[in-house]
Amino acid sequence: MAKLTKEDVAVDLYCGIGTIAIFVSRYVKEVYGIEILEEAIEDAKENAKINNINNINFLCGDVKNIFEKIILKKNVKPSIVFLDPPRKGIDDNTIQIILKMEISRLIYISCNPRTLIRDLKKFEDKYYIKEIIPIDMFPYTSHVECCSVLYLKDTIQ
C-alpha cells in the first residue's frame, strides 16, 4: 500500500519498539523513528541491532515537540510518514507540520475510528484519502485497527 522505493526517506511517528520502521527499512533508503518512551526507543535500537539494520535512526521525545526540530536539524525531507498514534490521535501541531512539509504519502494506522476520522478531516484539503482498510486484530471485541493511505493531491499516483 505504501509503494516504497529505495529512494524513499520514511519517518515512523509514534514508533514504539520500532516494528514498522524495522519492517520498512529494507525497502527504503533511510528511516527515522520517533517515540516518547525512552524504554521503547532502547528496545527499538536493540531490535534494529539484532536484525542487523543500519539505516534507522531512533529518536526519543514527544512527536509534537521534536518532529519538526529533527527534520530541520538533520535536513531530512521525508517522502512518506507512517503514523500510528495512541488512541487520542495526532496533535494539531504535528498535523500542521505534515501539511506544511507536503509529504507525498501518509500511512495512518489507527485503533480509534473517532480520532482517525477527526484527523483525516484535517488532512483532506491537501491529501487524497485513497483507501481505509479495517483490520480485525482483536476477534470477538469491538476493537478494529484501520490502515489509511493518503496521497498529497498534487502527486496522486
PDB file of all heavy atoms in Angstrom, residues 10 12 15 21 30-34 41 45 48 53-60 70 74 76:
ATOM      1  N   ALA A  10      11.719   7.546   5.045  1.00  0.00           N
ATOM      2  CA  ALA A  10      10.499   7.329   5.815  1.00  0.00           C
ATOM      3  C   ALA A  10      10.661   7.839   7.238  1.00  0.00           C
ATOM      4  O   ALA A  10      11.754   7.788   7.807  1.00  0.00           O
ATOM      5  CB  ALA A  10      10.152   5.840   5.838  1.00  0.00           C
ATOM      6  N   ASP A  12       8.685   7.252  10.943  1.00  0.00           N
ATOM      7  CA  ASP A  12       7.705   6.460  11.689  1.00  0.00           C
ATOM      8  C   ASP A  12       7.426   7.206  12.991  1.00  0.00           C
ATOM      9  O   ASP A  12       8.229   7.165  13.925  1.00  0.00           O
ATOM     10  CB  ASP A  12       8.283   5.062  11.954  1.00  0.00           C
ATOM     11  CG  ASP A  12       7.333   4.136  12.692  1.00  0.00           C
ATOM     12  OD1 ASP A  12       6.166   4.514  12.916  1.00  0.00           O
ATOM     13  OD2 ASP A  12       7.780   3.032  13.060  1.00  0.00           O
ATOM     14  N   CYS A  15       6.683   5.474  17.055  1.00  0.00           N
ATOM     15  CA  CYS A  15       7.237   4.208  16.561  1.00  0.00           C
ATOM     16  C   CYS A  15       7.289   3.077  17.574  1.00  0.00           C
ATOM     17  O   CYS A  15       7.529   1.931  17.183  1.00  0.00           O
ATOM     18  CB  CYS A  15       8.615   4.434  15.966  1.00  0.00           C
ATOM     19  SG  CYS A  15       9.916   4.783  17.176  1.00  0.00           S
ATOM     20  N   ALA A  21       9.139   0.666  11.531  1.00  0.00           N
ATOM     21  CA  ALA A  21      10.409   1.184  10.999  1.00  0.00           C
ATOM     22  C   ALA A  21      11.335   0.052  10.567  1.00  0.00           C
ATOM     23  O   ALA A  21      11.942   0.111   9.496  1.00  0.00           O
ATOM     24  CB  ALA A  21      11.094   2.060  12.049  1.00  0.00           C
ATOM     25  N   GLU A  30      16.303   5.329   4.028  1.00  0.00           N
ATOM     26  CA  GLU A  30      16.546   5.688   5.422  1.00  0.00           C
ATOM     27  C   GLU A  30      15.222   5.812   6.165  1.00  0.00           C
ATOM     28  O   GLU A  30      14.210   6.170   5.575  1.00  0.00           O
ATOM     29  CB  GLU A  30      17.285   7.023   5.456  1.00  0.00           C
ATOM     30  CG  GLU A  30      17.858   7.403   6.783  1.00  0.00           C
ATOM     31  CD  GLU A  30      18.763   8.619   6.662  1.00  0.00           C
ATOM     32  OE1 GLU A  30      18.633   9.411   5.702  1.00  0.00           O
ATOM     33  OE2 GLU A  30      19.590   8.780   7.562  1.00  0.00           O
ATOM     34  N   VAL A  31      15.257   5.507   7.474  1.00  0.00           N
ATOM     35  CA  VAL A  31      14.069   5.597   8.321  1.00  0.00           C
ATOM     36  C   VAL A  31      14.421   6.344   9.606  1.00  0.00           C
ATOM     37  O   VAL A  31      15.480   6.124  10.188  1.00  0.00           O
ATOM     38  CB  VAL A  31      13.525   4.203   8.722  1.00  0.00           C
ATOM     39  CG1 VAL A  31      12.242   4.338   9.517  1.00  0.00           C
ATOM     40  CG2 VAL A  31      13.312   3.313   7.519  1.00  0.00           C
ATOM     41  N   TYR A  32      13.496   7.210  10.016  1.00  0.00           N
ATOM     42  CA  TYR A  32      13.588   7.877  11.312  1.00  0.00           C
ATOM     43  C   TYR A  32      12.382   7.457  12.130  1.00  0.00           C
ATOM     44  O   TYR A  32      11.248   7.547  11.647  1.00  0.00           O
ATOM     45  CB  TYR A  32      13.601   9.405  11.158  1.00  0.00           C
ATOM     46  CG  TYR A  32      14.859   9.916  10.523  1.00  0.00           C
ATOM     47  CD1 TYR A  32      15.003   9.920   9.144  1.00  0.00           C
ATOM     48  CD2 TYR A  32      15.912  10.364  11.303  1.00  0.00           C
ATOM     49  CE1 TYR A  32      16.172  10.368   8.552  1.00  0.00           C
ATOM     50  CE2 TYR A  32      17.089  10.815  10.718  1.00  0.00           C
ATOM     51  CZ  TYR A  32      17.205  10.808   9.342  1.00  0.00           C
ATOM     52  OH  TYR A  32      18.369  11.235   8.773  1.00  0.00           O
ATOM     53  N   GLY A  33      12.613   6.986  13.349  1.00  0.00           N
ATOM     54  CA  GLY A  33      11.524   6.615  14.243  1.00  0.00           C
ATOM     55  C   GLY A  33      11.527   7.526  15.458  1.00  0.00           C
ATOM     56  O   GLY A  33      12.580   7.763  16.053  1.00  0.00           O
ATOM     57  N   ILE A  34      10.354   8.037  15.810  1.00  0.00           N
ATOM     58  CA  ILE A  34      10.234   8.935  16.964  1.00  0.00           C
ATOM     59  C   ILE A  34       9.207   8.359  17.926  1.00  0.00           C
ATOM     60  O   ILE A  34       8.102   7.991  17.524  1.00  0.00           O
ATOM     61  CB  ILE A  34       9.827  10.355  16.533  1.00  0.00           C
ATOM     62  CG1 ILE A  34      10.862  10.944  15.565  1.00  0.00           C
ATOM     63  CG2 ILE A  34       9.660  11.264  17.754  1.00  0.00           C
ATOM     64  CD1 ILE A  34      10.466  12.284  14.964  1.00  0.00           C
ATOM     65  N   ILE A  41      12.368   3.243  22.918  1.00  0.00           N
ATOM     66  CA  ILE A  41      13.452   3.603  21.995  1.00  0.00           C
ATOM     67  C   ILE A  41      14.664   2.709  22.221  1.00  0.00           C
ATOM     68  O   ILE A  41      15.304   2.254  21.267  1.00  0.00           O
ATOM     69  CB  ILE A  41      13.822   5.097  22.117  1.00  0.00           C
ATOM     70  CG1 ILE A  41      12.718   5.952  21.507  1.00  0.00           C
ATOM     71  CG2 ILE A  41      15.172   5.410  21.472  1.00  0.00           C
ATOM     72  CD1 ILE A  41      12.527   5.792  20.004  1.00  0.00           C
ATOM     73  N   LYS A  45      16.185   0.326  19.299  1.00  0.00           N
ATOM     74  CA  LYS A  45      17.593   0.288  18.882  1.00  0.00           C
ATOM     75  C   LYS A  45      18.154  -1.126  18.993  1.00  0.00           C
ATOM     76  O   LYS A  45      18.897  -1.579  18.112  1.00  0.00           O
ATOM     77  CB  LYS A  45      18.414   1.261  19.739  1.00  0.00           C
ATOM     78  CG  LYS A  45      18.124   2.707  19.411  1.00  0.00           C
ATOM     79  CD  LYS A  45      18.901   3.649  20.328  1.00  0.00           C
ATOM     80  CE  LYS A  45      18.616   5.105  19.995  1.00  0.00           C
ATOM     81  NZ  LYS A  45      19.309   6.041  20.899  1.00  0.00           N
ATOM     82  N   ALA A  48      16.785  -3.220  16.111  1.00  0.00           N
ATOM     83  CA  ALA A  48      17.497  -2.930  14.863  1.00  0.00           C
ATOM     84  C   ALA A  48      18.864  -3.603  14.864  1.00  0.00           C
ATOM     85  O   ALA A  48      19.291  -4.174  13.850  1.00  0.00           O
ATOM     86  CB  ALA A  48      17.628  -1.422  14.671  1.00  0.00           C
ATOM     87  N   ILE A  53      20.221  -4.025  11.106  1.00  0.00           N
ATOM     88  CA  ILE A  53      19.681  -2.944  10.275  1.00  0.00           C
ATOM     89  C   ILE A  53      20.412  -1.653  10.629  1.00  0.00           C
ATOM     90  O   ILE A  53      20.461  -1.262  11.785  1.00  0.00           O
ATOM     91  CB  ILE A  53      18.161  -2.800  10.490  1.00  0.00           C
ATOM     92  CG1 ILE A  53      17.469  -4.094  10.060  1.00  0.00           C
ATOM     93  CG2 ILE A  53      17.620  -1.606   9.717  1.00  0.00           C
ATOM     94  CD1 ILE A  53      16.016  -4.170  10.423  1.00  0.00           C
ATOM     95  N   ASN A  54      20.964  -1.012   9.607  1.00  0.00           N
ATOM     96  CA  ASN A  54      21.812   0.159   9.838  1.00  0.00           C
ATOM     97  C   ASN A  54      21.262   1.460   9.261  1.00  0.00           C
ATOM     98  O   ASN A  54      21.914   2.496   9.360  1.00  0.00           O
ATOM     99  CB  ASN A  54      23.204  -0.095   9.255  1.00  0.00           C
ATOM    100  CG  ASN A  54      23.843  -1.299   9.902  1.00  0.00           C
ATOM    101  OD1 ASN A  54      23.880  -1.414  11.123  1.00  0.00           O
ATOM    102  ND2 ASN A  54      24.323  -2.227   9.080  1.00  0.00           N
ATOM    103  N   ASN A  55      20.084   1.427   8.652  1.00  0.00           N
ATOM    104  CA  ASN A  55      19.561   2.654   8.030  1.00  0.00           C
ATOM    105  C   ASN A  55      18.397   3.260   8.826  1.00  0.00           C
ATOM    106  O   ASN A  55      17.537   3.927   8.267  1.00  0.00           O
ATOM    107  CB  ASN A  55      19.143   2.390   6.583  1.00  0.00           C
ATOM    108  CG  ASN A  55      18.002   1.396   6.466  1.00  0.00           C
ATOM    109  OD1 ASN A  55      17.779   0.580   7.357  1.00  0.00           O
ATOM    110  ND2 ASN A  55      17.289   1.448   5.349  1.00  0.00           N
ATOM    111  N   ILE A  56      18.389   3.016  10.148  1.00  0.00           N
ATOM    112  CA  ILE A  56      17.349   3.557  11.018  1.00  0.00           C
ATOM    113  C   ILE A  56      17.970   4.466  12.073  1.00  0.00           C
ATOM    114  O   ILE A  56      19.007   4.139  12.641  1.00  0.00           O
ATOM    115  CB  ILE A  56      16.565   2.435  11.735  1.00  0.00           C
ATOM    116  CG1 ILE A  56      15.840   1.543  10.741  1.00  0.00           C
ATOM    117  CG2 ILE A  56      15.563   3.020  12.722  1.00  0.00           C
ATOM    118  CD1 ILE A  56      15.051   0.420  11.384  1.00  0.00           C
ATOM    119  N   ASN A  57      17.311   5.584  12.320  1.00  0.00           N
ATOM    120  CA  ASN A  57      17.677   6.489  13.401  1.00  0.00           C
ATOM    121  C   ASN A  57      16.481   6.594  14.337  1.00  0.00           C
ATOM    122  O   ASN A  57      15.442   7.116  13.940  1.00  0.00           O
ATOM    123  CB  ASN A  57      17.999   7.880  12.855  1.00  0.00           C
ATOM    124  CG  ASN A  57      19.166   7.865  11.911  1.00  0.00           C
ATOM    125  OD1 ASN A  57      20.292   7.747  12.331  1.00  0.00           O
ATOM    126  ND2 ASN A  57      18.883   7.962  10.621  1.00  0.00           N
ATOM    127  N   PHE A  58      16.607   6.086  15.556  1.00  0.00           N
ATOM    128  CA  PHE A  58      15.529   6.182  16.536  1.00  0.00           C
ATOM    129  C   PHE A  58      15.799   7.349  17.461  1.00  0.00           C
ATOM    130  O   PHE A  58      16.915   7.518  17.963  1.00  0.00           O
ATOM    131  CB  PHE A  58      15.404   4.879  17.345  1.00  0.00           C
ATOM    132  CG  PHE A  58      14.825   3.747  16.553  1.00  0.00           C
ATOM    133  CD1 PHE A  58      15.599   2.652  16.212  1.00  0.00           C
ATOM    134  CD2 PHE A  58      13.497   3.768  16.142  1.00  0.00           C
ATOM    135  CE1 PHE A  58      15.074   1.603  15.490  1.00  0.00           C
ATOM    136  CE2 PHE A  58      12.956   2.725  15.410  1.00  0.00           C
ATOM    137  CZ  PHE A  58      13.741   1.639  15.081  1.00  0.00           C
ATOM    138  N   LEU A  59      14.766   8.163  17.689  1.00  0.00           N
ATOM    139  CA  LEU A  59      14.898   9.371  18.482  1.00  0.00           C
ATOM    140  C   LEU A  59      13.826   9.402  19.557  1.00  0.00           C
ATOM    141  O   LEU A  59      12.650   9.118  19.279  1.00  0.00           O
ATOM    142  CB  LEU A  59      14.759  10.588  17.576  1.00  0.00           C
ATOM    143  CG  LEU A  59      15.699  10.555  16.359  1.00  0.00           C
ATOM    144  CD1 LEU A  59      15.156  11.382  15.227  1.00  0.00           C
ATOM    145  CD2 LEU A  59      17.074  11.005  16.756  1.00  0.00           C
ATOM    146  N   CYS A  60      14.219   9.766  20.757  1.00  0.00           N
ATOM    147  CA  CYS A  60      13.293   9.793  21.882  1.00  0.00           C
ATOM    148  C   CYS A  60      12.781  11.211  22.123  1.00  0.00           C
ATOM    149  O   CYS A  60      13.565  12.154  22.211  1.00  0.00           O
ATOM    150  CB  CYS A  60      13.974   9.263  23.143  1.00  0.00           C
ATOM    151  SG  CYS A  60      12.830   9.073  24.522  1.00  0.00           S
ATOM    152  N   ILE A  70      13.784  17.814  14.518  1.00  0.00           N
ATOM    153  CA  ILE A  70      14.655  16.759  13.976  1.00  0.00           C
ATOM    154  C   ILE A  70      14.759  16.901  12.458  1.00  0.00           C
ATOM    155  O   ILE A  70      15.848  16.816  11.890  1.00  0.00           O
ATOM    156  CB  ILE A  70      14.111  15.360  14.350  1.00  0.00           C
ATOM    157  CG1 ILE A  70      14.157  15.150  15.859  1.00  0.00           C
ATOM    158  CG2 ILE A  70      14.852  14.263  13.601  1.00  0.00           C
ATOM    159  CD1 ILE A  70      15.531  15.269  16.483  1.00  0.00           C
ATOM    160  N   LYS A  74      18.422  17.837  10.999  1.00  0.00           N
ATOM    161  CA  LYS A  74      19.094  16.828  10.172  1.00  0.00           C
ATOM    162  C   LYS A  74      18.868  17.058   8.683  1.00  0.00           C
ATOM    163  O   LYS A  74      19.317  16.273   7.856  1.00  0.00           O
ATOM    164  CB  LYS A  74      18.627  15.432  10.569  1.00  0.00           C
ATOM    165  CG  LYS A  74      19.031  15.060  11.986  1.00  0.00           C
ATOM    166  CD  LYS A  74      18.707  13.607  12.268  1.00  0.00           C
ATOM    167  CE  LYS A  74      19.167  13.199  13.644  1.00  0.00           C
ATOM    168  NZ  LYS A  74      20.584  12.944  13.735  1.00  0.00           N
ATOM    169  N   VAL A  76      16.214  16.646   6.841  1.00  0.00           N
ATOM    170  CA  VAL A  76      15.552  15.463   6.301  1.00  0.00           C
ATOM    171  C   VAL A  76      14.294  15.887   5.567  1.00  0.00           C
ATOM    172  O   VAL A  76      13.511  16.680   6.078  1.00  0.00           O
ATOM    173  CB  VAL A  76      15.192  14.486   7.448  1.00  0.00           C
ATOM    174  CG1 VAL A  76      14.376  13.320   6.927  1.00  0.00           C
ATOM    175  CG2 VAL A  76      16.444  14.009   8.155  1.00  0.00           C
TER     176      VAL A  76
END
